[in-house]
Amino acid sequence: MSVSSPLPHDAARLHVTGAARYIDDIPTPRGTLHLAFGLSPVACGALEAMDLAAVRAAPGVVAVLTAADLPFANDVSPSIHDEPLLATDRVHYVGQPLFLVVAESHIAARRAAKLGDIRIAEEEPILTIDQALAADSRFEGGAVIWEKGDAASAIAASAHVVEGSFEIGGQEHFYLEGQAALALPQEGGDMVVHSSTQHPTEIQHKVAEALGLPMHGVRVEVRRMGGGFGGKESQGNALAVSCAVAARLTGRPCKMRYDRDDDMIITGKRHDFRISYRAGFDADGRIQGVEFLQYARCGWAQDLSLPVADRAMLHADSAYLLPNARIESHRLKTNTQSATAFRGFGGPQGMLGMERLMDHAAHQLGLEPVELRRRNYYAEAEEGGSAPAPAEPPRDISGQKKGAEKSARSALPQTTPYGMEVEDFALHGITAALLERCEYAARKRAVAEWNAQGGAIRKGIAFSPVKFGISFTLTHLNQAGALVHVYQDGSIHLNHGGTEMGQGLFQKVAQVAASRFGVGLEAVKITATDTGKVPNTSATAASSGSDLNGMAVQIACDELRGRMAAYLAAERQAAPEEVRFEAGAVHVGGATIPFAEAAQRCYQGRVGLSATGFYKTPKVSWDRVRGQGRPFYYFAYGAAVTEVAMDSRTGEYRILRADILHDAGASLNPALDIGQVEGGYVQGAGWLTTEELVWDDKGRLRTHAPSTYKIPAFSDQPDIFNVALWDGRNREDTVYRSKAVGEPPFMLGISAFLALSDAVASCGGGYPALDAPATPERVWAAVRRCAQ
Amino acid sequence: MSKTHVTAKVNGDAVEFLCDPRETLLDVLRDRLGLTGAKEGCGTGDCGACSVTVDGRLVCSCLMLGVEAEGKEIGTVEGIADGETLHPLQKKFIEYAALQCGICTPGILIAAKSLLEKNPDPTETEVRYWLAGNLCRCTGYDKIIRAVMDTAAEMREAS
C-alpha cells in the first residue's frame, strides 16, 4: 500500500535533472514584457511628485504606470484593503512600490526603475516597538487580552516569582526562488496567471479586483514553488496583479520576478516581538500563574498580523498547564515592511516566550530544566491519545518518585488559557523516550564536567518541547476541495487545492489516491493547482495541506470507487460492499479485473468517472474576541535536545549535536516527514542564532541579501543529527490518522537557543537573558554581562 | 550595445550565441540557450544556485559574463545524466530524499560532482565545507550530506 511508504518527492527526477519548471523557467511567448517596481527611498512621508520622464525614456521601456493609471482596484492586501499596489499620497516604508516599469527585458525594467525622480516630504518614521508605543501606532485599537483565572493573585501568593523581558527578532523567508508571476492575456479580456504562490485563490481574487472582472475571468495555475514558508501566502499578490494589469494594458504577456535584494526589501518577514513575562511558582516549581505581555511589530499594513499575533497568544502556554494566565497582545504599526506569515505564524514567538520563562525559572529556582518542564506539562492523554504507551514508564531524570502533588495537578482541568481541553497530550512519553535515546542525563553531566574545567570553550545542552495547534484559527478556512478523474484506460488525474512548495504535499496526496484505488503511483497523474479545477481554496498554510487536501481527495476517490463498485457488482450479481480495489485490480464476485479494464467497462457502462471531493474539518469553533473555544482540531508534538560549544572569548559557537523525536501521527510518508522535521529544526535554529535583520535609523533594511543575512549553511550543520518520528496515530480521524508536519518542527529549534543560554550560564553570574537571535555578538555580550 | 559572438561548448555540445557584453553567463544559459537548470538565487555569488563548471572549475554563473565563456567548456545540471541514465549522485539524491523544493538541487549537484572529481574520498567535513557556498532553505542539509558520502563510497567501489 502506497500510504505510509517512504517514497521520494513526486518531482525528484525533474529536480535532479534540472527539468523541474519554476515560474521563471516557463518558456514565454514571443513578445513577453518584463516588470520592475520603482521603490520608495524613504520610510515615511507625503508623496509630493514623481518625475518619471527619465524612466519612460530609458532603453526598452514600453510603459510606466503609477497609481493613477490603474484601471480598477489599487489594492493587494489579503485582509483590510490597506495595501495599495502603488503608493498614492503617502509612503509608508523604504521599499514601498511607487511606480511600475514595463519593459522589453528584465534588466531593462530594473535599470529604468532606478531613474525615477521622486519628491517626498520626509517625516520622522516610526520604526521600533518603543516608538510605536509612544505614538500609540497600532492595529485593532487597543491591546487584545485573554485571561484564565486570576493570574495576578496567583502570582502574588506564589513562593517564587520569575520575571523578565526579551526581544525576539524577525526572520527573512529566504525561499531560494524569489517571488515571481507570469500573466497571459486571453480572448475576451480573460487572464491566465502563473504565480509562485501558496494561495492561488487569493491571487485570482486580487487579480479579478484589479481587472474589474468576476473571478471566473481569471484562472491561476501553480505547479510548484521553490520554497514558500509562508512568504508566498500574500506577498505574491503585488507581482501577479502587476503582471495582469500590464498584460491587460499592453495586450502582451507580462512577467515579473523580484531580484533577491528587491525581494528582501519589498516583502514582509516574520514579526519581531518583545515579550515580558511574570510568573509565580510554588516551592516545587509548579506554575501557579503567569502573565505575558506580547508586543508584535507588524509593519505598515495589516496583512495577516492579527491572526499571527493571535497565534502567538494561543501558544503562550507552550506545553504547560497554566492554572491562571493573562496574555496581553499589542499589534504595533511601524514604517517597515508589512510583517507576514512565516512557518509557525506567531506560534514560535509565543512558545519561545514560555520556554524562555522556563529557562529563566530553572536558573533562578535551581531546578533541572527538563524536570521543571515535566512537572508543568499537561497530563498525558489517557487512552486513544496520540501515541501508544511507551515501552517503559516515563522516568523522572531527577530520580524523584512522582508524588501525590503530581496527581493533584493531573486532576485539574487540562485546559489551555483559551479554554480548549488538551485531549491528546503526548509529551510525557516523547520526552522520556528522547532523553533516553540521546543519553541526556549522562551528557548533561559531561557538559558540566567540561565547563568545570574553566576553559574558554564552553558547552551547553538544552531540551525543548513542541505542542502545536493544527487548524486555521479562522474557522471558515478549514475546508478543501479535490477533483479526480478516472480515464477509460485506467489512468487517474488528480487535482486539489493544495500547492507544492517542496514539502511533498503532492506526493502524499497522490499516495492517498493510489491507496484508495489500490493502484500503483504511476497510475496517478499529479497536476498543477488550478483555480479552474478546484475553486475557493484556502492557502496551503497552517500545516494543513495534507490534512485538508488529502481528505478531500480521499472523499472524491471514494465517490468514484463507490460508483465503479456499484456498476461492476451489478454486472456480476455481487454486493457492491464486497468489491475490493487492491493490487492494481478490482476484485468482484470472485473475479479479478485489472483496474484499466474495470475503468473501460465502467466507461462503456456509462458510469460517470469524474468526481469532486469536499472536506471541512470537524469540531473546530473559535471566538477570537473572547479568546475562547476550540481553535484546533488536534495538537502535533515533538521534542529536541541540542548541544552547543561556544567560545567565551568571541561569542562564536557551533551546534554539536541535535536529537529529535517528532510526532507526525501515522506518517503518510516518513521520508518526506523526516525531511520536514530536519528542515524545520534547522530553519528554527537559524531564526534564533544567526539570522539577524537590521534596519538603520532611517528605516532602511541593511540585511538585504545573503551577503549580510546569514541563513544556516552546510558548514553550520550539527555534526550529529538524529531525527526520528514518534510512533503514534492521531486520535482524531485525520487522513490515515496522520498529523500535520509543516510548521511544528520549526519550534524544535528553540532548544538551540536554550543550549546557548546554558553555555553562557556556565560562565557564572546571573541569568544570561539572551535576546534572539543569539548572534555571536549577543552571546559575547551576555558572557561579559554574566562575568560582571 | 552591439552583441558579441561567442563560441563555446556546453555539456559537450558546440554552441554559438550572440550576447550583450554585460550579460551574465547565467542569463545566457537560461535566456539564450534555454538551459534553465541553473537558477538565480541571489545574483551576487552567495547562494550557489547558479553553479556550473567552466573548464572543470566550479563557478557561480551569475558572477561570470557570457562573453567570458568564449572557447570554454561549460558543464550544467542538464549534462550530468547520460541520456536517460542518471548519474550516481542524482540517484542518491532521490534515494535519500535529499531535496525538497528542488531549486537549489541543480547547483548542489554540480558542486558535489565537482568535489568528487577532485576528491573521490572526501571526509564529511570536507563535503560540508565544499558545499558551504550552496544554500538550501528546505532540507536542513543532512540528507544531502548522506547522499554525497554514499555516492562517493559507491563510486569508489565501482572504479
Side-chain angles (χ1 to χ4, degrees), chain A residues 13 15-16 22 24-25 172-174 176-177 226-227 257 260 501-502 654 675-676 679 691 712-714 717-718, chain B residues 30 39-42 46 77 84 90 99-103 109 128-129 131-132 134 137-141 143:
Chain A
R13 192 182 167 96
H15 289 152
V16 300
Y22 304 82
D24 196 33
D25 304 333
E172 162 62 33
H173 302 85
F174 211 89
L176 257 281
E177 179 210 27
R257 68 176 171 90
R260 177 63 58 184
M501 61 195 99
R654 289 196 57 83
Q676 287 299 297
E691 295 187 35
F714 274 99
Q717 189 56 15
Chain B
R30 293 180 55 82
K39 311 296 182 188
E40 182 177 310
C42 66
D46 293 308
V77 69
E84 289 299 299
Q90 293 172 308
L99 50 86
Q100 287 183 30
C101 85
I103 201 159
L109 283 168
R128 288 159 190 266
Y129 281 85
L131 294 178
N134 290 84
R137 192 51 151 167
C138 300
T139 64
Y141 302 111
K143 288 173 188 288

Side-chain angles (χ1 to χ4, degrees), chain B residues 2-13:
Chain B
S2 68
K3 289 197 164 67
T4 304
H5 177 258
V6 178
T7 307
K9 270 190 170 182
V10 177
N11 300 325
D13 296 331

Side-chain angles (χ1 to χ4, degrees), chain A residues 146-326:
Chain A
W146 297 341
E147 288 187 274
K148 173 185 175 186
D150 182 351
S153 301
I155 295 167
S158 295
H160 304 282
V161 174
V162 178
E163 62 186 312
S165 180
F166 72 123
E167 309 285 332
I168 304 172
Q171 184 176 29
E172 162 62 33
H173 302 85
F174 211 89
Y175 26 66
L176 257 281
E177 179 210 27
Q179 307 277 347
L182 167 66
L184 306 166
Q186 308 293 304
E187 62 180 21
D190 290 355
M191 195 64 66
V192 169
V193 180
H194 295 268
S195 169
S196 182
T197 179
Q198 294 170 241
H199 201 347
T201 291
E202 179 73 0
I203 296 285
Q204 179 194 20
H205 175 210
K206 300 313 290 189
V207 166
E209 283 180 356
L211 299 183
L213 292 175
M215 284 172 80
H216 72 204
V218 180
R219 189 170 72 75
V220 178
E221 189 176 315
V222 186
R223 176 56 185 87
R224 65 173 60 79
M225 282 163 271
F229 316 114
K232 294 175 179 171
E233 189 166 340
S234 61
Q235 304 298 297
N237 294 358
L239 299 90
V241 167
S242 295
C243 287
V245 168
R248 179 183 185 271
L249 291 177
T250 61
R252 292 164 69 175
C254 288
K255 181 159 104 172
M256 185 175 203
R257 68 176 171 90
Y258 287 160
D259 163 82
R260 177 63 58 184
D261 293 59
D262 286 352
D263 199 312
M264 291 183 72
I265 289 166
I266 297 169
T267 66
K269 301 155 203 332
R270 185 184 294 286
H271 292 67
D272 43 45
F273 270 63
R274 177 186 296 159
I275 296 182
S276 302
Y277 50 85
R278 197 169 78 91
F281 291 80
D282 72 9
D284 296 315
R286 292 186 175 83
I287 295 178
Q288 305 304 301
V290 57
E291 290 171 348
F292 283 109
L293 194 48
Q294 301 179 338
Y295 299 101
R297 204 173 62 126
C298 303
W300 72 283
Q302 187 171 295
D303 190 75
L304 305 168
S305 291
L306 303 192
V308 166
D310 286 355
R311 196 174 265 270
M313 298 174 78
L314 289 166
H315 285 89
D317 62 337
S318 189
Y320 313 109
L321 177 63
L322 308 178
N324 299 282
R326 183 179 190 280

Side-chain angles (χ1 to χ4, degrees), chain A residues 329-369:
Chain A
S329 167
H330 297 257
R331 296 91 196 265
L332 302 169
K333 186 173 182 174
T334 53
N335 292 114
T336 48
Q337 290 82 356
S338 180
T340 190
F342 195 147
R343 201 176 197 171
F345 205 71
Q349 295 93 322
M351 212 178 279
L352 181 62
M354 186 74 224
E355 294 303 330
R356 162 59 181 271
L357 161 61
M358 282 296 187
D359 192 56
H360 193 169
H363 189 270
Q364 183 176 322
L365 274 55
L367 289 169
E368 207 293 321

Side-chain angles (χ1 to χ4, degrees), chain A residues 692-711:
Chain A
E692 185 178 33
L693 291 163
V694 177
W695 286 266
D696 67 15
D697 57 5
K698 296 280 189 191
R700 289 172 295 202
L701 179 66
R702 290 317 206 177
T703 48
H704 52 77
S707 53
T708 42
Y709 183 77
K710 173 82 179 75
I711 71 165

